[in-house]
Amino acid sequence: MKFQKRLLRAEPNFQILTKLWQVNWLYVLLICALAVVGYGALYSAGGGTPRPFAGPQSIRFCFGLVMMLGLALMSPGILVRMAWPLYIFSIMLLVAVLRMGHVGKGAERWIMLGGIQVQPSELAKIALVLMLASWFHKISYRRMGNPLLLLPPALMVLLPVALVLKEPNLGTAVIIGTVGASMFFGAGMRLWQIALVVLPVPFLARIAYGHLHDYQKARVTTFLHPESDPLGAGYNIIQSKIALGSGGMWGQGYLQGTQGQLNFLPEKQTDFIFTMIAEEWGFVGGIIVIGMLLLLVFGGMLIAMRSRNQFGRLLGLGISMNFFLYCAVNLSMVMGAIPVGGVPLPLISYGGSAMLMVMFGFGLLMSAWVHRNATFGETVGEDA
Amino acid sequence: MTFRKKKSGNRLMSRPEEGRNPSRGVFTRRALLLMATQGAILGALGERLYGLQVREGSHYAKLAENNRLSKRFFAPPRGRITDRFGIAVASNRINWRALLLAEETSDIPGTLARFAQIVPLEQRDTVRIEHELRHKRRFIPIMLRDFLSWDDMARLELNMPSLPGVLIDVGTTRVYPFGPLLAHVVGYVAPPAEKDVVHNAELALPGMRVGRAGIEQTQDLNLRGQVGSVEMEVNAVGRVMAELDRDEGLTGDEIALTIDSGLQQQVLARIGEQSASAVVMDCRNGEVLAMVSNPSFDPSLFDSGVTQAQWIEWTNNSQTPLINKAVSGLYPPGSTFKPAVAMAALRAGTLSPSDRINCPGYIDVGGTRFHCWSRYGHGSINLRQGLKYSCDVFFYEVARRTGMDTIAATSELFGLGAKLSEIELPHVRQGLIPTPTWRRAHGHHWNGGDTIVSGIGQGFVQVTPLQLATYASRIATGRNVQPHLIRSVAGRMGQLTDLGHAPDMTMPEHFFEDIRAGMFAVVNEEGGTAPKARLDIPGVQMAGKTGSAQVRRVSRAMRESGHFNSASLPWEYRPHALFICYAPYDAPRYATAVVIEHGNAGADVAAPLARDIMTDTLHRDPVNHREPPGQEVAQADVD
């Protein structure tokens, strides 16, 4: 209640239209541009028709765009109040997925919610970003030196990481953990504290490897030697590299990519959509897409830096990091640089939850931009 | 760009505030550090992309091609075989087949049941179809039935809507318009055996056939043609997505035989039901104009597989219908061997044309008495008379004087017991002219008696009818004529087809004249053994030699009874009847050899048959003959 009053006092003239005008339309345009690239790629993955991928995906995007603009209008105060309920809801979903999730590809990741399949780990990531941003906003930079105040947010990160690991979904767990860590870093965690956390990581990794599922170990092995099992676990990596390589500098031409069009490329509409783009448009097309993704990441980071409140800054940082990690993991995966792990390429890969959650995140980012000059709820030494 | 400007402005602005607002300063620094990391990681990925797509692009492009291209081959139409006038004796007929594409029907048993109601399926078809359904991918067509009739086709077309997945496809099948007439020469084709496929994978293609006998076998590679191919784009499960390139392949070479199918028919008609073989050659160049081996078989039966019962019937038949007697049948030449013995003696100088030898009806050699066919003897006779009367004693004595090594050497020059390598047939047997060396190699002694019986073409002497025809041609022309069956391959004429190309035999011409005169006397003079071979064509005369070759020893008791009747013996004990001849006598064109298995006396059975064949040949003149228009044999050619 208290910050709501302050918020209203600070920005008394904000009307919906004014706020809409404040939206960073250049950034929205970039998002739309990438969605168009995604539409084109899914059109090709569908064999040159809007069905079954491109059409439904574009409808989801439009829905996501409306949701994003709606979120952009929400003031930080409302978002902060959303943080806890959303976080708890997402944790409940993660627990539910372990209990009754749909088995897909050897892992429990999906849950049916009101007739649609959702992947709670996607929601958990966004909820965690919101949660951490509001937590660090409240404790402020000055109190970051107090390790006790870092324990609750650390648990907030570890809980979903543990649940997602249990699914098991190693890739997403790593992304959630990294997003969380980057927010600790952005929030101003002291360097000695960072050192204290980072140093034992190699040991923990060794122990963690011992607890991996066999199929995850197999992924690591086949990643190191894909040719050892060319028709089994190594097939995806080999075929993906073949498809990429055959694209060359200028590509095989739109709708002409032989590996993608002839189904040598596995899951070309989801995880391997970038391979398909790079096969058909070549290195030139691939690097343009990477450039666009990088612009969105950097744009998000710059929006974060422009914010005059810690909440907005950390929100922007978390969303950008999340988006960046999606991209980096997916691209590394399809280029055979890291093991394959079921991470889609945001805005481009076919899939409902991922698309909606990415747009949800951009909505939060837009809200941070629209309300970048707002100051609220902070006690000491903030911009005013 | 917009961001960049704002960012730098922001940074500049934030600096003075840092003391007051440490969180924003720290955040900006750390955010910039994160951005640098993000940029570096995405940059590294871009670099890796460059490596995969540009630096190693060609390597992966090659792998991609291998992924997507699939080449499939199909059998080309087999080359036709024609007779010397271009009449097809082996050609291809369209074969309509019904195929099932399993992936295009949801109810395979139902489709099969409906299909079987329209076109009946035999038990063995059903078993095969079920096996293929289990073992083949669903997009590879399975053959349901081939050799569909027009009626079947019409009924299937009508019912197509209720037969999802059923396709009608056209292939070819081998047909032999003359059936048994040329079966031994042309041979037949059959589906390849597993061992063939091991050596040549092309043979695994559906519709591929392998020549199994005759010209089909020896010219298999020429006839087979060049396999066609379709290069197709396939997807990851091997399903055909598009056809990229098609190579129709090459139809096999057309092979023209030297055979005159019309003459062949006439020769067979003359032979009738007898178990016999006859060869008619152009004695100037060795072209085989007719080669009949009776009985015969229908070569079309092999294309779809011969039944067990049929096979047993053929192989148990004592008249050996599957064997080409003209090249694989071995017979003692009997008296037809005498001209060769005479030539050997003339060449060796052990006989001069004027030498006379007394025939009292027998000769004693080494304590054994050898009889002449005439128990009363021929008295004192010369070479010409010896041939004319076919006096055994005369040739016993000539052989005794000359020796078997010399006889064998000369007779091999005439093609007897020799490998006739020009003849384009499989299973050609060489026969045998025995020599002391050969006998010793088999662990026996050669005694004088062996030479005596060999001198009249009995004992171990064995020749083929083709060798006899070649022998007659060489006597007639004095040239080293080589028998052959192929006139041209894909329009390219063989070298030896040209007249007069056969080299001279380098034996004195007057020796030939002496022998030819004797053979002329056989047919045309009073008292000759083959008056029945005299031609009824004004101004055209034939020279020949009879032979009756015993297939078992004649016992003394039988001989002394003097009138044993060969015709009363069981068939397989009767002597073979042989005749060799050529005509016209003064300008030889055609040579013929006839062997009638167990036909008794050559003079009575073989000579008139040879005369009829020669008469037909001369009337027909196969060297230049053209079928009058409208009389061509009905055919169903597709190519």
Side-chain angles (χ1 to χ4, degrees):
Chain A
M1 295 302 131
K2 203 177 162 193
F3 6 101
Q4 203 175 12
K5 274 179 196 161
R6 286 193 59 167
L7 184 71
L8 288 172
R9 232 186 299 128
E11 291 157 1
N13 301 321
F14 271 12
Q15 298 298 316
I16 287 178
L17 280 178
T18 333
K19 283 191 174 187
L20 269 180
W21 179 245
Q22 292 286 315
V23 166
N24 191 332
W25 287 105
L26 195 64
Y27 198 77
V28 174
L29 204 65
L30 193 56
I31 291 171
C32 291
L34 214 51
V36 168
V37 169
Y39 182 89
L42 290 176
Y43 187 85
S44 178
T49 56
R51 284 183 312 153
F53 308 127
Q57 189 76 349
S58 61
I59 291 166
R60 285 189 203 121
F61 176 73
C62 292
F63 186 71
L65 205 60
V66 171
M67 178 181 71
M68 182 188 91
L69 292 174
L71 280 167
L73 305 179
M74 290 194 189
S75 57
I78 299 170
L79 295 182
V80 166
R81 274 186 289 152
M82 270 171 63
W84 268 111
L86 199 64
Y87 180 79
I88 289 165
F89 179 61
S90 72
I91 294 297
M92 278 163 56
L93 282 186
L94 281 179
V95 174
V97 93
L98 286 178
R99 295 235 161 181
M100 46 178 264
H102 276 255
V103 175
K105 294 167 194 157
E108 297 171 9
R109 289 175 193 175
W110 287 272
I111 190 168
M112 294 301 287
L113 205 69
I116 54 164
Q117 237 184 15
V118 290
Q119 207 172 341
S121 56
E122 300 289 341
L123 180 64
K125 261 184 284 187
I126 302 300
L128 178 70
V129 169
L130 201 58
M131 192 66 231
L132 290 178
S134 65
W135 178 268
F136 288 124
H137 179 82
K138 281 182 208 160
I139 68 167
S140 92
Y141 175 74
R142 297 266 156 108
R143 291 198 280 160
M144 284 297 285
N146 182 355
L148 283 180
L149 288 174
L150 294 183
L151 267 182
L155 289 174
M156 284 174 205
V157 176
L158 289 178
L159 182 60
V161 165
L163 288 171
V164 170
L165 264 182
K166 188 100 177 112
E167 280 183 8
N169 187 345
L170 183 64
T172 305
V174 167
I175 291 179
I176 295 175
T178 311
V179 168
S182 70
M183 289 183 74
F184 274 73
F185 182 67
M189 189 178 175
R190 304 295 184 254
L191 287 174
W192 61 269
Q193 293 168 334
I194 293 170
L196 211 66
V197 174
V198 168
L199 286 179
V201 161
F203 295 98
L204 292 172
R206 263 197 93 84
I207 296 161
Y209 182 78
H211 287 85
L212 286 183
H213 284 250
D214 284 345
Y215 85 95
Q216 288 168 324
K217 284 182 184 170
R219 268 187 199 160
V220 176
T221 323
T222 50
F223 160 66
L224 294 173
H225 308 284
E227 287 75 20
S228 66
D229 186 12
L231 291 176
Y235 180 82
N236 291 7
I237 297 168
I238 292 172
Q239 293 301 332
S240 178
K241 282 164 90 173
I242 288 175
L244 280 174
S246 68
M249 178 62 92
W250 301 102
Q252 298 197 14
Y254 186 52
L255 302 175
Q256 307 290 312
T258 57
Q259 308 304 294
Q261 296 295 342
L262 300 175
N263 282 329
F264 286 101
L265 205 53
E267 300 179 52
K268 60 182 175 191
Q269 78 279 14
T270 58
D271 292 1
F272 287 91
I273 191 78
F274 180 78
T275 309
M276 176 130 188
I277 293 172
E279 187 195 12
E280 298 193 344
W281 298 96
F283 173 72
V284 174
I287 206 74
I288 287 173
V289 170
I290 293 178
M292 289 168 82
L293 295 170
L294 190 66
L295 277 182
L296 275 179
V297 172
F298 279 10
M301 294 300 280
L302 293 170
I303 286 170
M305 283 189 264
R306 279 291 300 269
S307 177
R308 293 175 71 186
N309 57 72
Q310 187 74 326
F311 177 73
R313 282 195 284 263
L314 290 176
L315 201 57
L317 179 110
I319 298 299
S320 302
M321 256 332 261
N322 185 30
F323 185 81
F324 163 77
L325 285 169
Y326 262 122
C327 300
V329 170
N330 178 272
L331 293 176
S332 309
M333 206 172 78
V334 300
M335 290 182 210
I338 62 164
V340 176
V343 174
L345 189 63
L347 289 174
I348 299 180
S349 284
Y350 180 79
S353 326
M355 167 65 89
L356 290 180
M357 283 307 121
V358 163
M359 295 307 282
F360 192 90
F362 283 138
L364 296 180
L365 187 69
M366 273 307 111
S367 165
W369 170 259
V370 169
H371 304 94
R372 62 190 176 279
N373 290 319
T375 53
F376 65 99
E378 281 160 301
T379 46
V380 228
E382 290 302 325
D383 306 10
Chain B
M1 288 321 252
T2 329
F3 295 132
R4 206 166 259 283
K5 230 184 259 171
K6 279 178 182 170
K7 182 202 80 182
S8 55
N10 200 23
R11 252 197 102 186
L12 287 172
M13 270 165 55
S14 67
R15 233 173 228 157
E17 296 171 336
E18 258 175 40
R20 212 157 45 88
N21 180 16
S23 78
R24 189 164 187 186
V26 167
F27 181 84
T28 304
R29 279 198 303 276
R30 291 189 174 184
L32 284 171
L33 193 67
L34 282 178
M35 281 171 75
T37 316
Q38 289 166 340
I41 289 173
L42 286 183
L45 286 171
E47 203 284 328
R48 189 178 170 91
L49 188 65
Y50 184 82
L52 284 171
Q53 295 201 276
V54 183
R55 282 200 301 271
E56 297 174 52
S58 57
H59 166 68
Y60 286 112
K62 217 174 288 165
L63 292 177
E65 283 296 286
N66 292 345
N67 253 353
R68 99 189 154 98
L69 295 182
S70 166
K71 211 166 180 179
R72 289 195 191 163
F73 298 91
F74 56 86
R78 197 171 169 85
R80 296 197 322 163
I81 303 175
T82 70
D83 81 346
R84 64 184 296 117
F85 301 123
I87 297 166
V89 297
S91 61
N92 304 309
R93 191 182 64 198
I94 288 176
N95 170 21
W96 294 96
R97 303 181 285 204
L99 307 175
L100 176 71
L101 202 52
E103 70 172 0
E104 284 186 6
T105 171
S106 50
D107 173 24
I108 292 170
T111 303
L112 283 178
R114 282 191 295 278
F115 181 87
Q117 279 169 6
I118 300 160
V119 179
L121 289 173
E122 284 170 29
Q123 176 70 23
R124 105 178 155 168
D125 289 328
T126 323
V127 171
R128 179 183 50 77
I129 290 165
E130 274 174 14
H131 180 267
E132 290 188 9
L133 275 173
R134 276 196 306 274
H135 292 91
K136 283 192 175 172
R137 305 289 289 268
R138 289 173 56 81
F139 50 83
I140 294 174
I142 290 166
M143 217 239 324
L144 296 176
R145 263 283 310 272
D146 59 355
F147 304 111
L148 290 172
S149 69
W150 277 110
D151 280 359
D152 291 338
M153 293 267 294
R155 281 201 303 268
L156 282 176
E157 290 289 349
L158 202 65
N159 286 285
M160 272 305 167
S162 67
L163 295 168
V166 174
L167 314 168
I168 302 287
D169 174 64
V170 57
T172 61
T173 177
R174 198 68 161 166
V175 285
Y176 300 97
F178 291 98
L181 179 69
L182 281 153
H184 290 117
V185 173
V186 174
Y188 54 87
V189 294
E194 260 171 60
K195 65 172 166 42
D196 298 318
V197 178
V198 170
H199 293 301
N200 183 355
E202 281 183 359
L203 293 176
L205 297 173
M208 266 296 199
R209 292 288 184 269
V210 176
R212 283 285 184 243
I215 296 294
E216 293 272 30
Q217 179 178 340
T218 56
Q219 297 297 306
D220 200 25
L221 290 180
N222 286 328
L223 289 166
R224 213 181 268 167
Q226 225 171 70
V227 165
S229 64
V230 202
E231 196 172 66
M232 287 166 309
E233 191 175 63
V234 295
N235 70 2
V237 292
R239 184 158 174 200
V240 177
M241 307 304 281
E243 186 177 306
L244 301 175
D245 192 25
R246 176 178 272 267
D247 171 7
E248 288 296 345
L250 281 178
T251 302
D253 290 338
E254 177 166 312
I255 288 179
L257 302 178
T258 58
I259 297 282
D260 172 359
S261 55
L263 179 64
Q264 179 90 359
Q265 266 171 322
Q266 286 175 302
V267 172
L268 180 66
R270 294 290 186 185
I271 287 174
E273 300 288 302
Q274 302 172 91
S275 177
S277 76
V279 176
V280 179
M281 268 170 70
D282 182 331
C283 63
R284 298 176 306 175
N285 60 15
E287 288 185 344
V288 176
L289 300 165
M291 180 186 275
V292 173
S293 175
N294 196 54
S296 186
F297 60 92
D298 183 356
S300 311
L301 295 177
F302 286 88
D303 192 77
S304 49
V306 173
T307 63
Q308 187 77 8
Q310 176 68 76
W311 184 256
I312 288 168
E313 190 196 311
W314 279 334
T315 47
N316 286 351
N317 189 331
S318 60
Q319 299 192 350
T320 61
L322 291 179
I323 289 171
N324 182 1
K325 295 179 181 117
V327 297
S328 307
L330 292 178
Y331 306 95
S335 299
T336 60
F337 192 54
K338 288 170 181 169
V341 175
M343 190 55 142
L346 290 171
R347 290 180 75 213
T350 52
L351 179 74
S352 88
S354 54
D355 281 355
R356 301 190 81 84
I357 291 167
N358 183 48
C359 168
Y362 60 88
I363 189 173
D364 291 320
V365 177
T368 311
R369 177 160 289 190
F370 296 88
H371 292 271
C372 189
W373 63 268
S374 164
R375 65 187 309 202
Y376 307 109
H378 294 98
S380 173
I381 52 171
N382 63 8
L383 169 60
R384 184 188 164 88
Q385 290 161 319
L387 286 170
K388 175 181 169 184
Y389 302 127
S390 198
C391 174
D392 290 339
V393 169
F394 185 89
F395 285 95
Y396 290 150
E397 173 60 17
V398 170
R400 193 189 60 77
R401 287 184 199 173
T402 311
M404 204 54 212
D405 285 320
T406 311
I407 293 170
T410 299
S411 53
E412 274 168 33
L413 289 177
F414 281 96
L416 300 172
K419 207 168 183 69
L420 299 173
S421 53
E422 301 272 333
I423 194 76
E424 302 91 344
L425 287 176
H427 314 301
V428 174
R429 298 188 71 175
Q430 195 174 342
L432 176 73
I433 307 298
T435 60
T437 323
W438 168 81
R439 194 73 179 131
R440 270 196 299 279
H442 287 78
H444 297 280
H445 286 291
W446 181 268
N447 49 48
D450 290 327
T451 306
I452 302 302
V453 294
S454 299
I456 60 160
Q458 294 281 169
F460 301 110
V461 185
Q462 284 192 315
V463 299
T464 65
L466 181 72
Q467 287 175 342
L468 288 172
T470 307
Y471 166 51
S473 297
R474 290 181 185 177
I475 291 171
T477 59
R479 287 178 180 276
N480 195 24
V481 179
Q482 289 287 349
H484 60 100
L485 269 169
I486 292 181
R487 200 167 150 79
S488 67
V489 175
R492 296 183 302 274
M493 300 289 276
Q495 262 195 343
L496 277 162
T497 314
D498 299 338
L499 296 184
H501 265 233
D504 204 86
M505 287 188 76
T506 65
M507 292 177 200
E509 180 61 18
H510 61 269
F511 292 173
F512 282 106
E513 291 302 335
D514 293 330
I515 288 162
R516 288 172 197 153
M519 288 172 68
F520 176 81
V522 166
V523 177
N524 299 293
E525 288 183 4
E526 205 61 45
T529 53
K532 290 178 182 168
R534 209 166 294 168
L535 290 176
D536 193 17
I537 306 173
V540 183
Q541 285 154 324
M542 182 159 94
K545 184 71 198 79
T546 52
S548 306
Q550 265 131 27
V551 293
R552 57 164 211 159
R553 241 185 120 81
V554 178
S555 73
R556 181 176 298 178
M558 285 167 72
R559 186 177 299 283
E560 280 172 2
S561 76
H563 52 272
F564 69 94
N565 185 0
S566 304
S568 66
L569 293 169
W571 183 76
E572 58 269 32
Y573 292 142
R574 296 176 201 169
H576 298 311
L578 300 96
F579 197 75
I580 60 168
C581 58
Y582 63 89
Y585 175 69
D586 43 6
R589 281 295 276 286
Y590 305 112
T592 296
V594 172
V595 177
I596 300 159
E597 288 187 332
H598 311 293
N600 287 325
D604 296 336
V605 184
L609 178 56
R611 176 203 60 205
D612 292 343
I613 290 170
M614 188 61 82
T615 305
D616 290 340
T617 308
L618 288 165
H619 278 313
R620 192 177 163 79
D621 188 11
V623 173
N624 301 310
H625 184 79
R626 290 284 183 279
E627 288 281 349
Q631 287 199 6
E632 290 186 19
V633 180
Q635 295 159 57
D637 290 350
V638 294
D639 48 8

